[in-house]
Amino acid sequence: MAFLHLRFRFLTVSANALAVATLLGSLAFSPTVRAQSENSFPPSPLELTEPDSLIPEAVWEGETDLKPEERRQLDRALDALDARAQTAFAQGDTTTAFELWNREIRLRRFLGTSAELEALLRVGSLAWQQENFYQAQVITQRLRQLQTEQFEKRETPDVEVLQQLAQAYEEVGARQAALDLLERVLAIARDRNDSVTEEETLRKIARIALQDLDYEESAAAYRELREMAVARGDRLSEAYYLTQLAYIYDQLRWYEDAIAVKQDLEAYYRTLNNIAQMTALKLAIGDDYAAIGQLNAAVAEFQDAYRIAWEALQFYRAQEALDRLAALYERYNEFDAALQVYRTQIDVRQLARDLYGLMVTYDRIGQLQQRRQNYGPALEAFRRGLELARQLGNREAYFQVNIETVMQEMSTPGNSP
């Protein structure tokens, strides 16, 4: 039969195909065997299979509901079960702990859907953290049953319950199920013109989709959230949503979109005179321009970032801008421009008393001059780097090797200092 199964993939439509199909059809399980197979799987530990001593018989049989005092007694008893489970868990007996928690969850439903969902969320989160995927799957199955009840057995779904369900899905790692459910909550909120629930749900969708690396869905939600923030004049929230969009667009490599939102962010921080954020955004915008080949625009952003940081005496940011600018020039073989930037960088690092940065800059100058076969300037740069390395007690051997290499290249016939 295994041979027939493998060969069946390669049969062409012919008279033999019908015979093979008939043979394979005869190998299907009979209804009796199928039933036995299905019954061989153990029931979910969250199913109500046998009466429990904590539930009055009449309540278990569905003949009556719990009385107020019985509800309070059951609630206390289930809290005690939870405490016993936590003790067992702390002692490393996870099997007993989850058995107790499953019993607690089974019985919480007698206190209402919200009470059961609270327990499902709590235990599901722990199961996921402990990588107990069987328990997480069991809880997910129960969550789906509760979701079905909301949409098929109720005329109007309870939005609060749906939100609890979505949170529980997220806690057990079922993010797509959470997103699908939140989309339905969003539709309900819009039908009811419930702007508060709409915005809250969009924030959840944006966050969960981002965690699930579904960047496009997350971006769509954040764009809507930004529009809401703009409509009510909430600049702080708008800045947060723009920051999230900038990150997402970077991940998607949608550089033009990233540039647009970063420019809006830079304008916002300019109104606050937040120099650190302004320069950081200008550097990021310059990187985006460089990525799409708009080199002059990239240079302008790096230069602007340098100017702003320099005027504010933020030498670290100024150095960072010069680093980006020099690297860009080197990448496109604009060596004279790169050297000019490095010379400016030396002045900045001296003012900032950044000895390590000075050493790095002299190293870069030496490497660039050596690459251009300007051995004299390369040797001078490496020697200055060595002086700084000795002061710092760092990378002395590295500079010694570079100096020796340049001197050997200078002594090679045909090479000039």
Side-chain angles (χ1 to χ4, degrees):
M1 287 188 289
F3 174 72
L4 286 174
H5 176 70
L6 293 171
R7 288 292 306 276
F8 182 63
R9 296 171 50 199
F10 304 99
L11 289 174
T12 57
V13 177
S14 65
N16 292 333
L18 179 60
V20 173
T22 302
L23 173 59
L24 290 176
S26 70
L27 299 176
F29 290 116
S30 67
T32 302
V33 174
R34 284 201 303 272
Q36 291 174 348
S37 176
E38 291 169 0
N39 292 334
S40 66
F41 290 101
S44 166
L46 299 183
E47 291 181 11
L48 294 171
T49 55
E50 297 179 359
D52 192 287
S53 59
L54 293 178
I55 306 296
E57 184 177 349
V59 174
W60 187 273
E61 296 296 335
E63 297 172 1
T64 185
D65 294 328
L66 287 170
K67 298 174 183 177
E69 181 57 32
E70 289 174 332
R71 289 179 63 86
R72 286 191 288 271
Q73 289 177 357
L74 178 60
D75 191 31
R76 288 194 294 269
L78 296 182
D79 286 346
L81 270 181
D82 175 38
R84 287 171 55 194
Q86 291 183 39
T87 299
F89 186 83
Q91 294 173 348
D93 188 356
T94 57
T95 300
T96 298
F98 280 108
E99 286 176 355
L100 290 168
W101 274 320
N102 284 333
R103 184 187 177 198
E104 179 207 351
I105 293 170
R106 283 198 303 272
L107 302 183
R108 285 283 180 189
R109 73 181 67 180
F110 288 94
L111 298 176
T113 302
S114 291
E116 182 185 1
L117 276 170
E118 185 278 329
L120 286 165
L121 190 152
R122 168 169 41 84
V123 178
S125 175
L126 188 58
W128 184 255
Q129 292 171 18
Q130 296 296 313
E131 298 185 354
N132 187 334
F133 299 124
Y134 168 73
Q135 182 68 40
Q137 185 179 24
V138 164
I139 289 175
T140 302
Q141 181 183 355
R142 178 58 184 158
L143 293 174
R144 293 190 186 281
Q145 291 171 351
L146 291 172
Q147 179 178 335
T148 299
E149 290 176 7
Q150 285 294 310
F151 286 104
E152 294 183 3
K153 299 182 180 181
R154 292 174 58 100
E155 290 186 11
T156 305
D158 186 326
V159 170
E160 186 175 342
V161 169
L162 296 182
Q163 290 171 329
Q164 282 184 289
L165 277 166
Q167 184 181 1
Y169 276 135
E170 184 184 0
E171 290 295 332
V172 294
R175 292 195 185 112
Q176 190 56 54
L179 287 171
D180 293 342
L181 186 55
L182 287 171
E183 290 289 351
R184 302 182 75 170
V185 173
L186 183 63
I188 293 171
R190 285 171 172 166
D191 287 342
R192 298 176 179 175
N193 292 320
D194 183 350
S195 59
V196 174
T197 301
E198 180 183 3
E199 186 166 1
E200 179 186 351
T201 305
L202 277 171
R203 283 198 294 267
K204 291 176 181 177
I205 290 171
R207 175 180 53 79
I208 295 172
L210 185 56
Q211 290 174 341
D212 208 33
L213 305 184
D214 188 346
Y215 295 122
E216 294 189 28
E217 182 168 4
S218 183
Y222 277 124
R223 282 194 294 268
E224 289 193 63
L225 287 165
R226 182 201 178 183
E227 291 173 5
M228 292 178 174
V230 170
R232 64 172 180 269
D234 185 350
R235 295 297 304 279
L236 185 62
S237 293
E238 183 192 1
Y240 173 75
Y241 298 141
L242 285 171
T243 301
Q244 296 298 97
L245 282 169
Y247 171 78
I248 292 168
Y249 290 150
D250 282 342
Q251 300 307 304
L252 291 169
R253 299 185 181 181
W254 293 2
Y255 295 116
E256 292 181 356
D257 292 318
I259 289 168
V261 297
K262 288 171 187 175
Q263 287 174 333
D264 288 343
L265 265 176
E266 192 270 331
Y268 167 73
Y269 285 115
R270 187 180 293 275
T271 63
L272 302 177
N273 198 33
N274 189 326
I275 303 300
Q277 289 286 2
M278 288 168 58
T279 53
L281 284 162
K282 282 193 166 294
L283 292 175
I285 292 168
D287 289 338
D288 291 338
Y289 274 128
I292 59 177
Q294 295 189 26
L295 306 182
N296 289 334
V299 168
E301 292 294 334
F302 293 148
Q303 289 176 336
D304 207 17
Y306 167 72
R307 178 186 58 79
I308 293 170
W310 175 263
E311 291 174 355
L313 303 180
Q314 292 191 358
F315 297 126
Y316 172 78
R317 288 293 189 189
Q319 292 164 7
E320 191 174 358
L322 293 175
D323 280 339
R324 304 283 183 91
L325 192 55
L328 184 64
Y329 282 137
E330 280 203 60
R331 191 187 316 163
Y332 290 94
N333 297 326
E334 296 287 343
F335 298 127
D336 289 335
L339 284 170
Q340 183 177 350
V341 173
Y342 285 136
R343 294 187 187 104
T344 301
Q345 195 170 53
I346 286 174
D347 294 335
V348 176
R349 294 194 188 281
Q350 285 176 336
L351 281 172
R353 298 180 181 179
D354 181 5
L355 297 184
Y356 184 85
L358 270 173
M359 179 182 71
V360 170
T361 301
Y362 278 122
D363 178 32
R364 289 174 179 168
I365 292 173
Q367 296 287 350
L368 180 53
Q369 294 286 28
Q370 184 180 11
R371 181 179 171 187
R372 301 179 73 190
Q373 298 183 342
N374 293 335
Y375 298 116
L379 186 60
E380 180 184 357
F382 284 135
R383 282 174 172 166
R384 293 202 175 189
L386 177 60
E387 292 174 6
L388 292 164
R390 285 171 175 163
Q391 291 182 49
L392 295 168
N394 190 334
R395 301 182 69 188
E396 293 180 54
Y398 167 81
F399 281 101
Q400 287 283 13
V401 169
N402 278 286
I403 289 170
E404 292 171 6
T405 301
V406 171
M407 292 181 69
Q408 290 175 359
E409 290 173 345
M410 290 175 66
S411 64
T412 300
N415 289 342
S416 60

